Amino acid sequence: MVKKLDDQRGLTLLEVLLSIVILTIVLTSFAGFFSQSALFVKKNEEKLSTSQTAQQIVNLIEVYISKSRLQTVTDCVDFDCALNKESLEALSGQAINSAYTISAIFKLGEENLIKTKVTIFDNDDPESSSETYTYIRR
């Protein structure tokens, strides 16, 4: 039995080129999706970092700063004041290791509580700044 070479079928050059073009278009769209996903993850990590720093400052305030300590600050009149990172470190006696700009605003609230607003500002990326609120009870 001898096979005839005339009956063999294969892919033409045009079909191969067309399939490569279609594959390139599909892979390019996936590459764009992955790059956008990577940017989204990076932004969320930065936002999470500022939120965690804000929570650490709130915990520091709740543990180490009391009403009587706030009264010793000359800038705080009737618990209405704003303190920066250095002032918070001096008042709490704890070091704050953070590259962010940190501020805390204290205001006299209801039922003799002190409302506290902690703001964390990232100088490199203002969109990832964070604000957290708490009360000082003691």
Side-chain angles (χ1 to χ4, degrees):
M1 291 192 83
V2 178
K3 288 188 176 182
K4 294 184 179 179
L5 294 177
D6 295 338
D7 290 342
Q8 290 185 359
R9 304 199 99 187
L11 296 175
T12 63
L13 182 60
L14 183 61
E15 291 171 332
V16 171
L17 289 176
L18 185 61
S19 64
I20 289 174
V21 167
I22 291 172
L23 184 63
T24 303
I25 291 171
V26 169
L27 290 178
T28 303
S29 65
F30 278 121
F33 171 74
F34 287 122
S35 67
Q36 288 297 323
S37 176
L39 289 173
F40 182 73
V41 166
K42 186 176 186 291
K43 283 198 172 282
N44 280 340
E45 284 176 350
E46 292 170 355
K47 182 67 176 171
L48 181 63
S49 176
T50 57
S51 296
Q52 287 175 337
T53 302
Q55 189 59 46
Q56 288 174 349
I57 300 301
V58 165
N59 290 341
L60 182 128
I61 288 170
E62 289 176 343
V63 171
Y64 294 105
I65 298 178
S66 62
K67 290 180 185 179
S68 59
R69 274 198 156 166
L70 271 175
Q71 288 174 329
T72 63
V73 178
T74 56
D75 295 338
C76 291
V77 178
D78 294 329
F79 303 110
D80 191 8
C81 62
L83 300 178
N84 60 12
K85 178 179 170 182
E86 292 77 21
S87 301
L88 286 170
E89 286 178 332
L91 193 60
S92 67
Q94 302 294 314
I96 301 172
N97 297 324
S98 177
Y100 301 125
T101 303
I102 299 170
S103 69
I105 299 172
F106 300 93
K107 293 188 182 275
L108 190 60
E110 298 140 6
E111 298 182 20
N112 206 22
L113 295 173
I114 299 174
K115 293 191 283 187
T116 306
K117 174 185 172 185
V118 176
T119 304
I120 308 297
F121 187 75
D122 186 357
N123 295 325
D124 297 332
D125 184 15
E127 290 182 8
S128 65
S129 300
S130 180
E131 290 182 349
T132 304
Y133 299 87
T134 189
Y135 285 93
I136 297 177
R137 302 180 254 264
R138 49 187 178 97

